[in-house]
Amino acid sequence: AQTVTQSQPEMSVQEAETVTLSCTYDTSESDYYLFWYKQPPSRQMILVIRQEAYKQQNATENRFSVNFQKAAKSFSLKISDSQLGDAAMYFCAYSRNKLVFGAGTILRVKS
Amino acid sequence: DTEVTQTPKHLVMGMTNKKSLKCEQHMGHRAMYWYKQKAKKPPELMFVYSYEKLSINESVPSRFSPECPNSSLLNLHLHALQPEDSALYLCASSQESGLNQPQHFGDGTRLSIL
């Protein structure tokens, strides 16, 4: 079975600084997708970024980028120029035939 | 604004009550999902519907009964729930149920069982 591990239960970052959230996963498949979702206190899960496993180029979406290391099965999320609105629970997720989520990382942004 | 609408936002019910959670999307998505999420935990998949047919049931107790009346609507019928069923119930949809399809989530229904 696929598993997703987020080893940082909580992280803090100063506003305007950069923070990296870690994620590792375990799979024997070669074709899959990886996602980062954000869940603020308002509850809605919001897609932040996705990565296709067969693409070597790391995905970027404005201030959000990933470092995808397929051989190491690592998929970290970098948030640049952190903003107060980035404060949320962040979930890393693996997808083959269904989404498998990691335990989540609470990100706090200090002003 | 969320494109997946869930009602009600909050629901309190007794263990003998029967109630339903509703989910609606108008994005033309053909796959819809129910998740259960406990506080500070990741969502856990319950059911997947693809083209209005149940394709995945993650061994969910029969007191939860899903229904997909049409491609835009997904219901979750609740009966004889237990206190441990108190949680946030999230609905999601995607274009198809394939591995590369990002899922769009609703705001959830927070369910409390007395």
Side-chain angles (χ1 to χ4, degrees):
Chain A
Q2 292 80 19
T3 58
V4 178
T5 302
Q6 293 179 248
S7 59
Q8 306 152 317
E10 289 191 28
M11 291 284 285
S12 291
V13 63
Q14 199 69 34
E15 201 174 2
E17 297 293 309
T18 296
V19 65
T20 298
L21 308 184
S22 302
C23 174
T24 58
Y25 59 94
D26 187 26
T27 183
S28 58
E29 305 291 343
S30 59
D31 189 18
Y32 51 87
Y33 278 69
L34 297 163
F35 301 90
W36 278 98
Y37 279 89
K38 164 186 175 181
Q39 188 176 36
S42 63
R43 308 185 322 202
Q44 187 189 6
M45 294 278 284
I46 302 165
L47 178 65
V48 175
I49 200 166
R50 68 172 170 172
Q51 176 76 43
E52 301 160 34
Y54 63 86
K55 285 190 177 179
Q56 290 187 334
Q57 186 173 5
N58 290 325
T60 62
E61 287 286 342
N62 300 315
R63 298 182 294 107
F64 298 88
S65 61
V66 298
N67 183 2
F68 174 49
Q69 302 289 328
K70 190 172 184 179
K73 296 180 183 174
S74 171
F75 181 61
S76 60
L77 174 70
K78 185 171 85 171
I79 306 173
S80 304
D81 185 26
S82 297
Q83 300 175 0
L84 294 177
D86 295 333
M89 174 81 94
Y90 285 80
F91 291 101
C92 176
Y94 165 100
S95 176
R96 178 141 171 92
N97 58 351
K98 62 181 182 180
L99 272 179
V100 177
F101 289 93
T105 297
I106 297 172
L107 178 65
R108 306 188 194 282
V109 181
K110 302 175 185 176
S111 59
Chain B
D1 288 340
T2 179
E3 297 170 314
V4 177
T5 304
Q6 290 187 242
T7 55
K9 293 194 180 305
H10 301 274
L11 179 62
V12 180
M13 57 187 287
M15 288 190 284
T16 58
N17 292 156
K18 286 186 180 181
K19 296 285 185 184
S20 297
L21 309 185
K22 297 186 184 301
C23 175
E24 190 169 5
Q25 57 87 14
H26 293 288
M27 295 179 282
H29 289 176
R30 303 315 301 264
M32 296 186 77
Y33 311 79
W34 279 115
Y35 289 87
K36 174 183 178 181
Q37 186 179 24
K38 291 287 213 180
K40 298 188 178 181
K41 297 291 186 182
E44 299 172 10
L45 182 65
M46 299 175 72
F47 302 104
V48 180
Y49 272 83
S50 179
Y51 288 85
E52 300 161 48
K53 293 191 187 313
L54 183 65
S55 60
I56 295 178
N57 177 342
E58 290 287 311
S59 302
V60 179
S62 60
R63 58 186 183 268
F64 295 91
S65 175
E67 178 196 20
C68 190
N70 59 58
S71 60
S72 300
L73 292 174
L74 185 66
N75 298 322
L76 186 62
H77 302 299
L78 314 173
H79 174 55
L81 295 195
Q82 303 299 308
E84 61 265 28
D85 297 323
S86 297
L88 180 68
Y89 288 83
L90 292 167
C91 174
S93 71
S94 63
Q95 194 76 31
E96 304 275 345
S97 61
L99 63 89
N100 63 334
Q101 300 295 318
Q103 293 182 21
H104 299 255
F105 286 80
D107 287 344
T109 294
R110 191 165 300 284
L111 177 64
S112 298
I113 306 301
L114 300 178

